[in-house]
Amino acid sequence: AQSVTQLGSHVSVSEGALVLLRCNYSSSVPPYLFWYVQYPNQGLQLLLKYTTGATLVKGINGFEAEFKKSETSFHLTKPSAHMSDAAEYFCAVTLLGDNNDMRFGAGTRLTVKP
Amino acid sequence: DAGVTQSPTHLIKTRGQQVTLRCSPKSGHDTVSWYQQALGQGPQFIFQYYEEEERQRGNFPDRFSGHQFPNYSSELNVNALLLGDSALYLCASSPNLSGSKETQYFGPGTRLLVL
């Protein structure tokens, strides 16, 4: 079965610094990969997704992620953190085909310091 | 477009009771999935409904059941509530166009507290 591991339950950066949130996946077939953000007391909002094609995926709010098959990774980055980026971030995976079982990582809480 | 809506927003129940949570999908979406998000954890897949039938199910006991109506809205029912059922319950909808690569849109969730 597919799974994702998010390295680091908490990440703290200064405003304007690079944001790097790590995600590694495990699957026996080509995966579809997603990053979602969750603000306090809200549902999940899609930041970006990788299905096929270009391995560098650009999303909303200046975030991007690169699918690296050789490293089984899908790390999320943003060149310059903003205070409004403080939230919980979840990496998720589904599989090619009819498997609609989306598996989420445990999440990474991003704190942005002024 | 109202997006995915869920009701109620908060709910308090006692052990052994039963609860029903409701979800209306985003306009144009015919597939509804339910997730349980315990405090400090990622969402866990409960089940998915399409064409009024349960299409796929995660590792949850039979106490968790659901229904989808002809208008694509859905209910999640949990019987014999346990303290461990306390969580945020998220509903997500998607179009059934390309299967698992379709983006799931999430509602704000229902926070259930079991005392």
Side-chain angles (χ1 to χ4, degrees):
Chain A
Q2 73 277 27
S3 67
V4 292
T5 302
Q6 292 185 241
L7 303 176
S9 59
H10 290 87
V11 170
S12 180
V13 301
S14 297
E15 191 174 18
L18 171 72
V19 176
L20 171 61
L21 305 182
R22 301 177 186 272
C23 172
N24 287 88
Y25 70 90
S26 172
S27 75
S28 56
V29 297
Y32 297 141
L33 295 159
F34 304 77
W35 275 100
Y36 282 89
V37 61
Q38 186 177 35
Y39 297 101
N41 299 314
Q42 294 188 26
L44 279 68
Q45 179 184 7
L46 180 71
L47 282 175
L48 48 80
K49 69 178 182 181
Y50 168 78
T51 53
T52 57
T55 56
L56 182 62
V57 181
K58 295 186 183 299
I60 63 171
N61 301 339
F63 285 94
E64 62 183 36
E66 186 170 12
F67 171 63
K68 292 187 177 181
K69 184 177 179 181
S70 61
E71 299 178 7
T72 62
S73 69
F74 191 58
H75 302 331
L76 181 70
T77 61
K78 181 174 180 177
S80 177
H82 191 273
M83 296 296 291
S84 61
D85 294 327
E88 189 88 19
Y89 291 80
F90 293 95
C91 182
V93 61
T94 60
L95 299 182
L96 175 69
D98 289 333
N99 186 341
N100 293 290
D101 178 356
M102 180 173 277
R103 302 291 178 94
F104 285 84
T108 297
R109 181 168 297 278
L110 176 66
T111 301
V112 182
K113 299 175 292 185
Chain B
D1 182 4
V4 179
T5 60
Q6 293 185 244
S7 63
T9 56
H10 295 81
L11 205 52
I12 299 176
K13 292 286 188 179
T14 56
R15 281 179 299 175
Q17 286 189 310
Q18 179 264 345
V19 69
T20 297
L21 311 182
R22 296 176 176 82
C23 171
S24 291
K26 184 177 171 65
S27 178
H29 288 184
D30 55 7
T31 302
V32 174
S33 301
W34 286 93
Y35 294 83
Q36 181 195 66
Q37 185 178 17
L39 197 61
Q41 297 183 26
Q44 290 194 41
F45 176 74
I46 302 175
F47 43 53
Q48 183 179 83
Y49 276 82
Y50 172 67
E51 292 189 338
E52 302 180 47
E53 291 192 359
E54 182 182 294
R55 176 158 68 176
Q56 192 147 0
R57 189 179 184 91
N59 188 26
F60 279 80
D62 292 344
R63 298 186 297 109
F64 290 77
S65 63
H67 189 77
Q68 185 178 36
F69 299 93
N71 66 353
Y72 308 125
S73 66
S74 177
E75 289 182 348
L76 164 66
N77 301 291
V78 186
N79 295 322
L81 284 167
L82 303 174
L83 296 180
D85 295 332
S86 296
L88 180 68
Y89 288 85
L90 295 166
C91 170
S93 74
S94 58
N96 189 53
L97 299 175
S98 303
S100 56
K101 72 175 180 180
E102 289 298 330
T103 297
Q104 295 192 33
Y105 291 82
F106 284 80
T110 293
R111 189 163 297 280
L112 173 64
L113 177 61
V114 182
L115 301 177

